[in-house]
Amino acid sequence: MRLNETQLEGYRRDGFLRLPGLFSAAEVAVLRAEIERVADIPCEEIRREAEDGPPKAIMHMHAPESGTASPVLQSMVRLPRTLDVAKQLLGDDELYVHHTKMNLKAAVDGSVWPWHQDYGYWRFDGIQAPDMTTVMVMIDPSTELNGCLYLLPGSQADGRHEPVFDRSTSYGIWTVPREEMRDRLRRHGPPVAITGAPGDAVVFDCNLMHASAHNLSAENRWQAYLCYNTCANQARTVDEPRPEWVRGTDFRPLTTVDDRSLLVGGGEAA
Ligand code: SIN
Ligand code: MN
């Protein structure tokens, strides 16, 4: 898949690009079934807010050695419509996955992600340059009521801000300091609500400010995130690195698989 000039220009200006209908209903059904299959596996790649609560995030499904390993995800990160788009946006043919995550924002329970830049903390993983992009795919309908993603257009152009660790959530997250965030909202706002239907996608820059609110609805809001880095920009050694499931160190360049791979169980990428 090739993006056209207008799409490339939009991404450079806004820091994100919508790709409606990137996955078909049949493919979304395969992804959903795969998430449901791994959700009950006891392993550290499944993150919960409360020990006995539902999964908040399922990490590392694309990696064959993971407790959550999924042939479907191994293929999903290698499709022409995900991998080739990321290659084009990053201007590099050799990419690897920094991490993948399925964010399962549960009905009523699923909670806030405060304003942050992903590269705020990916820099601490030893990644030297913001040459990274994320493809987000909706598994459920995403609405303002169920806690859709909000993006702040153009905020990536200001570059990285030194993050602060926010303990107001049960999980803790590196965020943009409050006063800085208010300033950026005034300068770049208003944020854009990334609502849509299952299969819709958005690709966004690693310095783009983003956040999402509590899920106040009766329906789950599941979304998949595929985070790519260039091999040339691979994470350098750091003291006390985060675990492999969030700071991937398989730096081999990904090869593309057939675009229909998800519908045949993802076997292609194995
Ligand atoms: C994230 O920024 O990592 C997750 C946001 C969301 O899924 O709402
Ligand atoms: Mn994020």
Side-chain angles (χ1 to χ4, degrees), residues 101 116 118 121 204 210:
K101 61 183 180 193
H116 66 281
D118 290 336
Y121 51 103
F204 62 98
H210 58 285

Side-chain angles (χ1 to χ4, degrees), residues 95-111:
L95 304 189
Y96 74 95
V97 170
H98 181 56
H99 64 236
T100 57
K101 61 183 180 193
M102 307 297 127
N103 277 354
L104 313 184
K105 200 181 270 196
V108 179
D109 261 340
S111 63

